[in-house]
Amino acid sequence: MGRKLLTQHINVPGIRNLETYRQHGGYDTLRKAFGMKQEDIVEEVKKSGLRGRGGAGFPTGLKWSFLAKPEGVARYLVCNADESEPGTFKDRYMMEHLPHLLIEGMAIGSFALGCRTSYIYIRGELMYVYHILQKAIDEAYAAGFLGKNVMGTGWDFDLFLQCGGGAYICGEETALIESLEGKRGNPRIKPPFPAIKGVWDCPTVVNNVESIMAVVPIVRDGGDAYAQIGIGKSTGTKLISACGHLKKPGVYEIELGVPVEEFIYSDEYCGGIRNDKKLKAVVAGGSSVPVLPAELILKTANGEPRLMSYESLADGGFATGTMLGSGGFIVMDEDTSIVKNLWTFTRFYHHESCGQCSPCREGTGWMEKLLHKILDGHGTLADVDLLWEIQSKIEGKTICPLGDAAAWPVASAIRHFRSEFEEYVRNPSAIRKDHHYYRVNNLNPELV
Amino acid sequence: MPKVTIDGHTIEVPDGTTILQAARMIGGDVTPPAMCYYSKLKTSGGYCRTCIVKVTKGSEKDPRPMPKPVASCRTTVMDGMEVQNKTAPDLIDARNGVVEFLLINHPLDCPICDQAGECHLQDLSYENGLSKSRYEFKRREFEKIDIGDKIKLHMTRCILCYRRVKVAEQVCDTRVHGVMNRGDVAEISTYIEKAIDNDFSGNMIDVCPVGALTDRTFRFKSRVWFTKPMDAHRDCSKCCGKAVLYMSGNEVLRVSARKDMWGEVEDAAEGKPGWICNECRFEKKEVKDWTIEGPRAIDRHSVIAQNKYLDKKNLKIDVSNQKQIQEKAHN
Ligand SMILES: Cc1cc2nc3c(=O)[nH]c(=O)nc-3n(C[C@H](O)[C@H](O)[C@H](O)COP(=O)(O)O)c2cc1C
Ligand code: SF4
Ligand code: SF4
Ligand code: FES
């Protein structure tokens, strides 16, 4: 059994409540943090090697140390609880069961960074989690873990829970900040980065829910102890939300470095493919990362077992590798249509593009329409080539990474599964039964 | 003062200068096109992505090239930076891609568009566009709407450059419009049926890089190149009172702010942008309202300059260029 740092107590009845949480050591680490110097806490986080769990994997300690500290200006820690990446559902699960772990992490982080006010920005659709969190925050205020003179230390600290409107783009850190300030959630143009100008133009750190929760065991046991878990620069444990054609989909806490094969097939984790079908492909880190065919997800290009770690999954770059991303592990069995699956993803990005920059605004929609055309048996080989070209003209040319997130799935699907696209193009009669395309495009099937 | 090299031309510029500004200082072909950046409007730029350039050397300190094209209008130069604009074929390819995206939902109805002759998108599509679109699906359609009694909005032509939203924020004293919806269904509109009614709202027409916002007192009256642009001024308590009158005979067809070679409003006094008020723009349409200074100097490059060259001495034929053309023809 792998070690559990975050989910250790998740099955304890009533752990959502402050009393039970405290019986299992809750808020002891906050007390410990108050006995430390602020920069030493940041140092422990640096030593732990923790990489941001929101997707990009940027080292959390380093991010904290970049925070500007001008005199007399407020600083903010913002928890990104928007969690919108399709396939990713770990933060929601953690907040639902362990709200106090997040609050304790926010208090420790805010103390270390010298914040007096911090925010948890949660997706508006997660109303029931909002209520769970708000109740926990109220409890923490009443018990003196938040508010004036926290635990008698003289430090005043307010934690606000802010509800978002429920747009994927509001998970992007600068769009999140705009939304938090009450504006339309459009990404800001960087630089300036949030570490210099974030919420209300003050220095700000935005961190994922899991990153903030991980600070608690790091400060409790020390950064070195945390760094010993995992492999290489992928230290500690990671929550993986596994879904798709698995026998046991769900949220798993793994030690980074577990072989992908073990993760998919062992009984400790996903238990294998549903109905014992063959594995076809995996999207390893949420819908925006490149999809890999079975042979490349289980083994790297040079034949070594692929591990669940930042480095191993990225091995080979985008030609033969992918990314750990946010840990949304989507598994597809042999019966899955890659083209259809890709259309679903692309529809999502088309719908969620904020519309500020031209390549993403226009390109995501174009890709979606082409995929729809191919899927419904009206595509040509030229359409597949065009699709490839459009994604290449979006990638790297946009304000925020949503453009890349839309382009990568298309690129990888064509790279690894081109023959399947060609199949759709060559055998249209098998597909044209579905008249969705006709309906949407106002066409008369008799005439096409 | 950092030194930056763009397409082989080196220039020293003040701290904080962007690549685009530096390129404009050098001038000519080195300057990337810009559809959403407007030097007189704070926080403009970064949206359209037409000004992307390739940074082949980050700076003297950190010579690494930047991994991806950057928006030159929002990237400040570093000492020793080297940039490619026209000289990188892969960048031009990327820019062609941006133009193709922009033209998906922008009909090139230049023959009936009020902006024709003054339009940077027209130039851009001529220089970086394909002769035929590869987009085969339905495009956006909108009814034209009157936003107030002086401005008409052709949403079909809007490329979401955000310039006029910035005018509303920074130049007008109220903001009643903005962007609604997301992605390719995003549109600019007024706040539930409110008209734009503000002394400075007319400047939105001037900053619109395309023909999405049109002056209802000028629409379809004439093509700009048939008009005679004249510099003129009047005593105005609200604005700088310095404008350009577009005349036909003794009739004033249109009044606009004075614009520089980048199509941006010129500075009036003390380095302040010369925005004009709606009274000057829409209501002072008689010659007697103005003191006419004389014909406006128009850039030769512009179609408005047709048959209106002021300084004939400067109209030398570029012989070196001709030689090149002849040589090319022979080879
Ligand atoms: C379109 C888009 C959506 C994103 N959504 C989320 C999200 O829902 N949750 C999240 O933590 N990070 C999300 N991110 C990443 C954040 O911008 C940011 O990198 C992250 O919150 C930083 O936290 P970390 O350093 O702890 O990983 C998103 C990024 C993009 C471009
Ligand atoms: S990449 Fe897409 S989502 Fe991001 S700013 Fe541009 S249009 Fe908006
Ligand atoms: S805005 Fe420019 S490109 Fe568009 S129709 Fe008018 S003149 Fe042509
Ligand atoms: S002019 Fe630079 S992005 Fe539009």
Side-chain angles (χ1 to χ4, degrees):
Chain A
M1 283 286 278
R3 272 165 289 191
K4 306 277 181 264
L5 295 178
L6 303 180
T7 57
Q8 204 177 1
H9 303 304
I10 203 155
N11 291 324
V12 172
I15 193 72
R16 217 185 252 172
N17 304 321
L18 181 66
E19 248 340 283
T20 320
Y21 182 69
R22 291 193 66 185
Q23 280 159 19
H24 290 82
Y27 292 100
D28 289 352
T29 314
L30 179 59
R31 191 178 299 280
K32 178 178 175 189
F34 287 137
M36 296 167 72
K37 284 218 255 4
Q38 289 168 309
E39 50 285 13
D40 291 346
I41 303 176
V42 177
E43 202 45 46
E44 288 305 321
V45 177
K46 263 190 174 169
K47 267 197 245 165
S48 74
L50 172 69
R51 297 173 62 166
R53 304 304 197 212
F58 191 81
T60 306
L62 203 57
K63 195 186 232 182
W64 285 16
S65 65
F66 285 160
L67 189 68
K69 295 194 171 65
E71 277 299 308
V73 175
R75 291 187 280 280
Y76 296 98
L77 175 63
V78 178
C79 171
N80 188 344
D82 194 60
E83 188 163 80
S84 321
E85 188 79 349
T88 308
F89 44 89
K90 60 181 178 92
D91 296 343
R92 189 219 74 192
Y93 175 76
M94 293 300 287
M95 290 188 288
E96 183 183 338
H97 293 280
L98 287 161
H100 281 289
L101 185 61
L102 180 60
I103 297 167
E104 189 173 1
M106 284 301 283
I108 296 171
S110 302
F111 174 69
L113 295 171
C115 314
R116 301 209 144 209
T117 306
S118 289
Y119 299 95
I120 299 173
Y121 179 95
I122 188 169
R123 193 174 178 72
E125 277 98 335
L126 294 181
M127 243 323 142
Y128 74 106
V129 182
Y130 173 93
H131 289 305
I132 292 169
L133 268 177
Q134 189 57 55
K135 179 167 170 282
I137 290 173
D138 294 343
E139 282 179 335
Y141 264 104
F145 296 125
L146 298 174
K148 283 240 167 313
N149 189 16
V150 174
M151 294 170 90
T153 55
W155 177 57
D156 298 342
F157 173 60
D158 280 313
L159 180 62
F160 294 107
L161 184 59
Q162 178 68 40
C163 227
Y168 173 58
I169 193 59
C170 291
E172 195 279 332
E173 55 181 1
T174 57
L176 185 152
I177 291 170
E178 285 281 293
S179 172
L180 187 66
E181 290 180 358
K183 293 180 258 169
R184 187 184 150 91
N186 278 354
R188 290 179 182 173
I189 289 153
K190 296 195 249 187
F193 290 89
I196 310 290
K197 267 188 174 194
V199 180
W200 321 117
D201 277 353
C202 297
T204 300
V205 168
V206 180
N207 272 137
N208 172 258
V209 171
E210 186 186 345
S211 313
I212 289 169
M213 286 183 167
V215 167
V216 178
I218 288 170
V219 173
R220 184 187 63 210
D221 308 333
D224 286 330
Y226 189 86
Q228 266 164 23
I229 305 173
I231 185 167
K233 283 189 182 153
S234 304
T235 59
T237 64
K238 172 90 190 83
L239 297 167
I240 305 288
S241 55
C243 62
H245 305 143
L246 290 166
K247 284 192 181 149
K248 295 194 300 165
V251 177
Y252 295 98
E253 182 174 7
I254 60 161
E255 289 185 32
L256 283 166
V258 174
V260 173
E261 186 156 7
E262 183 183 333
F263 182 70
I264 297 178
Y265 290 101
S266 79
D267 281 338
E268 184 182 349
Y269 301 112
C270 306
I273 310 293
R274 203 177 58 184
N275 302 328
D276 292 318
K277 294 254 180 184
K278 275 220 293 273
L279 174 67
K280 176 168 182 175
V282 172
V283 176
S287 68
S288 61
V289 311
V291 56
L292 284 188
E295 56 286 8
L296 283 174
I297 188 73
L298 298 178
K299 294 224 173 353
T300 62
N302 52 22
E304 283 164 20
R306 184 88 72 180
L307 310 180
M308 300 286 281
S309 77
Y310 291 92
E311 292 86 3
S312 182
L313 281 167
D315 188 62
F318 282 177
T320 56
T322 182
M323 286 164 79
L324 178 64
S326 57
F329 199 85
I330 309 169
V331 174
M332 298 174 229
D333 73 11
E334 55 191 313
D335 297 337
T336 313
S337 159
I338 294 292
V339 181
K340 187 157 192 178
N341 180 73
L342 181 64
W343 178 51
T344 312
F345 284 2
T346 308
R347 259 167 78 201
F348 174 79
Y349 291 111
H350 174 204
H351 184 260
E352 298 297 323
S353 162
C354 86
Q356 281 189 114
C357 47
S358 340
C360 170
R361 178 181 68 239
E362 307 293 348
T364 48
W366 195 0
M367 294 198 299
E368 194 234 297
K369 287 171 192 154
L370 278 172
L371 278 164
H372 188 199
K373 182 181 171 197
I374 295 170
L375 188 67
D376 275 9
H378 298 268
T380 63
L381 286 178
D383 287 332
V384 183
D385 294 334
L386 184 56
L387 205 51
W388 175 267
E389 214 186 299
I390 299 172
Q391 67 76 25
S392 78
K393 298 234 155 113
I394 299 175
E395 199 228 310
K397 298 172 191 73
T398 52
I399 296 174
C400 87
L402 189 139
D404 301 332
W408 290 336
V410 176
S412 56
I414 299 181
R415 181 179 286 128
H416 300 299
F417 297 95
R418 194 184 167 97
S419 58
E420 219 173 298
F421 287 84
E422 293 179 357
E423 191 64 20
Y424 273 86
V425 171
R426 295 211 169 97
N427 275 321
S429 55
I431 313 154
R432 282 203 190 177
K433 287 189 292 292
D434 178 355
H435 285 199
H436 186 240
Y437 181 81
Y438 298 123
R439 274 203 318 277
V440 171
N441 293 292
N442 248 336
L443 300 173
N444 179 353
E446 306 298 319
L447 300 176
V448 182
Chain B
M1 296 237 295
K3 253 195 204 136
V4 55
T5 306
I6 306 174
D7 282 351
H9 303 266
T10 304
I11 189 173
E12 212 171 309
V13 293
D15 277 328
T17 307
T18 61
I19 299 175
L20 183 77
Q21 286 164 331
R24 284 183 173 185
M25 290 175 197
I26 297 170
D29 251 12
V30 166
T31 318
M35 296 301 299
C36 69
Y37 169 77
Y38 201 88
S39 64
K40 310 286 151 72
L41 294 169
K42 276 178 268 162
T43 70
S44 69
Y47 305 114
C48 70
R49 318 309 281 181
T50 53
C51 71
I52 51 173
V53 294
K54 210 167 135 179
V55 177
T56 49
K57 179 179 167 191
S59 67
E60 217 51 75
K61 260 200 212 134
D62 182 1
R64 283 175 304 172
M66 294 193 181
K68 295 186 166 167
V70 298
S72 61
C73 65
R74 280 310 239 341
T75 311
T76 40
V77 301
M78 307 288 269
D79 189 38
M81 187 182 260
E82 285 174 21
V83 178
Q84 284 190 311
N85 175 40
K86 278 272 184 204
T87 48
D90 53 335
L91 175 80
I92 296 301
D93 190 49
R95 186 174 293 154
N96 294 351
V98 174
V99 174
E100 188 172 18
F101 288 132
L102 273 177
L103 293 180
I104 285 182
N105 280 309
H106 183 94
L108 287 177
D109 48 10
C110 315
I112 52 152
C113 176
D114 262 351
Q115 189 78 1
E118 298 177 317
C119 176
H120 294 295
L121 186 56
Q122 206 177 28
D123 300 341
L124 199 60
S125 107
Y126 180 68
E127 284 156 18
N128 295 80
L130 296 171
S131 58
K132 186 175 172 293
S133 174
R134 296 184 291 181
Y135 187 86
E136 52 176 336
F137 303 97
K138 234 176 126 199
R139 290 149 203 267
R140 314 207 306 171
E141 283 169 14
F142 296 90
E143 297 287 327
K144 294 172 197 64
I145 46 172
D146 292 326
I147 43 177
D149 60 346
K150 296 293 193 295
I151 306 175
K152 197 172 206 85
L153 169 63
H154 291 233
M155 194 55 221
T156 29
R157 292 184 191 145
C158 176
I159 56 164
L160 287 156
C161 71
Y162 283 68
R163 280 182 184 177
R164 86 164 137 122
V165 181
K166 311 259 170 200
V167 167
E169 271 168 8
Q170 295 167 28
V171 184
C172 303
D173 57 7
T174 47
R175 182 180 149 192
V176 291
H177 75 288
V179 177
M180 305 193 305
N181 302 329
R182 275 200 300 255
D184 60 2
V185 292
E187 62 180 282
I188 297 222
S189 192
T190 46
Y191 176 67
I192 323 209
E193 297 191 354
K194 266 202 173 160
I196 294 182
D197 175 18
N198 181 288
D199 271 350
F200 280 80
S201 63
N203 293 297
M204 291 176 206
I205 304 169
D206 280 351
V207 301
C208 176
V210 294
L213 290 171
T214 51
D215 177 345
R216 287 182 65 192
T217 65
F218 175 64
R219 281 163 57 79
F220 307 133
K221 287 243 168 82
S222 175
R223 314 304 332 218
V224 278
W225 57 90
F226 294 146
T227 64
K228 221 169 32 179
M230 300 293 239
D231 279 337
H233 64 264
R234 62 181 286 271
D235 245 346
C236 179
S237 56
K238 293 187 211 151
C239 72
C240 67
K242 289 187 177 144
V244 181
L245 312 183
Y246 295 77
M247 308 191 44
S248 173
N250 265 344
E251 206 184 338
V252 178
L253 298 181
R254 174 173 80 163
V255 180
S256 84
R258 297 188 185 177
K259 293 191 209 163
D260 62 17
M261 66 183 296
W262 311 112
E264 296 184 4
V265 55
E266 270 177 12
D267 287 341
E270 297 125 30
K272 280 209 193 108
W275 307 114
I276 59 167
C277 68
N278 285 2
E279 189 185 334
C280 288
R281 182 187 304 268
F282 299 122
E283 280 155 35
K284 300 295 169 194
K285 291 247 172 146
E286 307 265 345
V287 181
K288 66 171 169 30
D289 295 329
W290 297 89
T291 311
I292 298 197
E293 296 163 20
R296 172 148 188 92
I298 297 282
D299 182 7
R300 256 181 74 183
H301 163 86
S302 164
V303 65
I304 307 173
Q306 291 297 324
N307 305 321
K308 297 194 191 77
Y309 299 131
L310 286 177
D311 187 355
K312 294 218 173 76
K313 273 187 299 205
N314 286 341
L315 286 182
K316 275 184 292 190
I317 294 170
D318 188 348
V319 185
S320 60
N321 192 23
Q322 280 214 332
K323 258 194 192 149
Q324 274 175 11
I325 294 172
Q326 278 168 0
E327 274 162 23
K328 257 195 203 148
H330 284 299
N331 290 337

